[in-house]
Each structure stands twice: as structure tokens, then as C-alpha cells.
Amino acid sequence: MLRTTIAGSLPKPTWLAESERLWAPWKLEGVALQEGRRDATILAVKLQEDAGIDIVGDGEQARVHFVHGFLANLDGIDFDKKTIMGIRNNRYEAEVPTVTGAIRRKGPVHSMEAKAARAHTTRKLKFTLPGPMTIVDTIADEHYGRREDLAMAFAAVLNEEAHELQALGVDVIQFDEPAFNVYMKEVPDWGIACLERAAQGLTATTAVHICYGYGIKANIDWKATLGEEWRHYEQTFPAIAKSSIQQVSLECRNSKVPLDLIKLLDGKDVLAGAIDVASNTVETPEEVAATIRAALAFVAPEKLFPCTNCGMAPMSAEVAYGKLAALSAGAALVRKELGAA
């Protein structure tokens, strides 16, 4: 019980990409880049093992960004036709490619890093993919017209990719949907349907990650406007609870989320964020344990998985892996209290 895992991204080695930066450009090219992306994936897996993480991930080492890394091998997207658009309801702006035709996969997108990770760990392996609604919120559209139609098109190709990852030995497939904390009305209207289409037919464990974003200034500034209680989950958890998705990853540590909202996820596994990704202060094991204990008031220990609040790509490696070690140590403290190994 209380098996630890990560939300998704981890810092890339300084020889591969610029450090402590989101959307960091690659430092390598050609064959060297391909080998570097593979080697960084293996390194991330091993460093997670060293930190004591139970369910490891690829750390998104082979992607510039968690969304655009998936888009890179799809037809129907013009990467030369860039648009400056507001992301997450204009929280911040980004230069994004444009959908100009029907969305189709050219071939496998993430098989290289999934194979590398699977070959170098015997632990449970988790792989993250962007959710359909979040993709739609991170790309310009000149073809489909309706956001829900575009999201369903992405859901179909995500499902193809997810089935291939499952066949390669991935145990948990997580869809990242930070947009679920922004467009709450659309979640039950069409977001859940698209999410379930992305996960259709999978026998691997399925998860959805819904957070308040990376620890970047735009997100930190936004959080400062949200008041004393962050109740976004209250509007979406009932719809998620009715869905076929098995696990829900949420933000707990140093947030203003009322933890009793976890009760709205009755029956689901809960990946409780016990690591703050918006702070460079490394948590103590006791601080991690305190967050886990607080979450245990609302979910059974066998259904609770201590996790990070969000991805850690913009952090230094020293801080990020220090936090993962604290996550493991904190979970071990609570397991001991519960009399579990």
C-alpha cells in the first residue's frame, strides 16, 4: 500500500536540454539527439529507483513539452504555421502549431522511450499522455471548427498510441488534463467522453491527472487569485467518479484544495500530490507523511498513491530527485505506522 509514483515530467540532463526551463530547446541534433533522448529516459528511470519510487515513469525525457511531444508525429498539424494564443483560458500565451487537416498518426510516437524504460526496470511502469481537452487548449485549429470535434479526433489517435504502449509493457497509462481545472462546465459536457474514448479498451490501469499547473510564474500568479479555498475539483470529480477511469491524480501539498473533496472520488484510486512543484524547498519525510495522513482521512490506504503535485521539468535535478527521495521516505513512515511493509 501507499506505493509512490510521479505525476509526469522530470528535469532533463543539462547535456540534453537547457536546465530549469519549460519548453527547453534541445542541445543535440540528429542521431546524437535520438541517443540522448533514450539515454536520458533510462537515467530518469534509474534515478527514480534510487529515490525509492515504486511506480516509475519515463520522466518525459524525450519530449520538449508534454503536449507538443505527442503532436510531433501526427498528420494534420502544420508546425510551420505558428499562432500566438492564450493557454488555459488566457492564463499565459504560447506559440503553437495549427491544425490544418484531419488528425492521424504517422506511426508510433513514444515507443522508443517506452521500450527503453521497460527494458531497464522491473518496477511498475507508468506512461503519461496529454488528454484530449488539454491538447485542444494548446493548439490552434483551422480545420475542425468545434473544440469537441477536435478533441474527439485527438482522443482516437491517443487511444491508438495507448494500446501500443500497453503492448510494450506499460502498466499505467495516465492522461494529463490540467484543462479540467479551467473549463469545468465542458468536462461533463464533452471532456469525459473524449477522455474515455482515449482510454477505450485498455486493460492497463488508466489514470487522469488534474492539477494547477507547473511551478512557473504564470501558474503561481493565477493561484494567488483563487482565494482561500480552491474548489475546482468539486465541479469535475462527480463526473470523473462516474467514468471508467480508474485513478485520479490531484494536487494536495501546499495547496488550498479542501481534502474532503476526495470523498467525491469514492471507488477510485487517488494519487495524492504530497510534493510541491512550485517550491524549491525539499520537503522533509515528516511533511510528506503529514500530507499522506491528511488524505487518508478520506480514502483507504490501499487506494492511496503518494505522488507529486504536477510535473517537475522546470526544476533542477538536485531539487527534484531530493523531493522524490522525501516522497518515498514519507510514505515509508506512514506504512510503518499502519503496520505495512
Side-chain angles (χ1 to χ4, degrees), residues 316-329:
S316 72
E318 181 182 8
V319 169
Y321 287 104
K323 283 174 173 280
L324 294 189
L327 178 64
S328 298

Side-chain angles (χ1 to χ4, degrees), residues 112-127:
M112 178 277 289
E113 53 265 44
K115 289 176 182 177
R118 182 71 285 167
H120 287 86
T121 186
T122 58
R123 300 188 187 188
K124 291 280 189 182
L125 177 62
K126 174 179 176 178
F127 208 92

Side-chain angles (χ1 to χ4, degrees), residues 15-316:
W15 45 260
L16 179 63
E18 292 185 26
S19 61
E20 299 182 50
R21 177 180 168 186
L22 202 58
W23 305 81
W26 302 117
K27 291 184 177 180
L28 305 177
E29 296 180 355
V31 173
L33 175 58
Q34 293 301 101
E35 293 177 349
R37 291 162 67 230
R38 178 203 61 208
D39 293 347
T41 299
I42 296 169
L43 178 61
V45 167
K46 293 303 183 185
L47 290 174
Q48 287 169 76
E49 289 183 345
D50 289 348
I53 298 300
D54 300 304
I55 303 168
V56 301
D58 70 307
E60 300 178 8
Q61 298 295 288
R63 316 176 216 180
V64 168
H65 182 264
F66 81 103
V67 173
H68 289 191
F70 178 72
L71 302 182
N73 207 33
L74 302 183
D75 279 325
I77 300 173
D78 188 342
F79 281 86
D80 292 325
K81 191 169 189 177
K82 296 292 181 65
T83 301
I84 301 291
M85 64 176 279
I87 304 296
R88 311 293 177 263
N89 197 25
N90 297 313
R91 191 187 313 165
Y92 58 93
E93 288 188 341
E95 187 177 55
V96 301
T98 304
V99 176
T100 56
I103 296 298
R104 296 185 182 89
R105 281 195 324 155
K106 298 175 184 177
V109 181
H110 293 306
S111 62
M112 178 277 289
E113 53 265 44
K115 289 176 182 177
R118 182 71 285 167
H120 287 86
T121 186
T122 58
R123 300 188 187 188
K124 291 280 189 182
L125 177 62
K126 174 179 176 178
F127 208 92
T128 58
L129 294 170
M133 180 181 281
T134 295
I135 295 177
V136 168
D137 194 47
T138 320
I139 195 167
D141 176 32
E142 291 185 356
H143 180 76
Y144 285 88
R146 293 190 342 139
R147 287 165 63 88
E148 50 265 57
D149 293 341
L150 179 59
M152 195 59 80
F154 279 120
V157 294
L158 283 165
N159 186 249
E160 293 175 14
E161 181 73 14
H163 276 274
E164 289 188 0
L165 294 172
Q166 175 180 273
L168 292 173
V170 172
D171 301 290
V172 182
I173 296 175
Q174 175 180 292
F175 298 95
D176 295 334
E177 284 287 21
F180 274 23
N181 260 357
V182 181
Y183 308 104
M184 281 81 73
K185 179 181 180 299
E186 288 84 351
V187 171
D189 287 351
W190 54 267
I192 294 293
C194 292
L195 179 61
E196 291 197 304
R197 175 66 183 90
Q200 184 177 322
L202 292 174
T203 55
T205 299
T206 56
V208 61
H209 171 63
I210 311 164
C211 66
Y212 286 80
Y214 280 117
I216 59 175
K217 186 178 185 301
N219 291 334
I220 294 170
D221 291 346
W222 173 62
K223 290 179 184 182
T225 70
L226 298 181
E228 290 304 309
E229 284 195 336
W230 303 350
R231 305 196 69 90
H232 302 71
Y233 291 141
E234 191 170 34
Q235 300 179 57
T236 56
F237 279 1
I240 295 167
K242 295 176 184 177
S243 77
S244 59
I245 303 300
Q246 296 160 288
Q247 299 186 334
V248 183
S249 175
L250 65 149
E251 185 165 323
C252 300
R253 170 70 179 166
N254 283 348
S255 79
K256 297 179 182 179
V257 173
L259 290 188
D260 63 348
L261 297 181
I262 291 174
K263 291 187 293 185
L264 298 174
L265 294 172
D266 186 41
K268 303 295 185 187
D269 290 343
V270 174
L271 280 61
I275 293 294
D276 184 1
V277 302
S279 167
N280 286 325
T281 301
V282 175
E283 287 81 358
T284 66
E286 181 53 45
E287 287 171 335
V288 170
T291 301
I292 294 171
R293 294 187 199 105
L296 282 172
F298 308 105
V299 61
E302 62 271 15
K303 299 190 75 63
L304 183 66
F305 295 74
C307 189
T308 58
N309 276 354
C310 187
M312 306 170 83
M315 288 186 160
S316 72

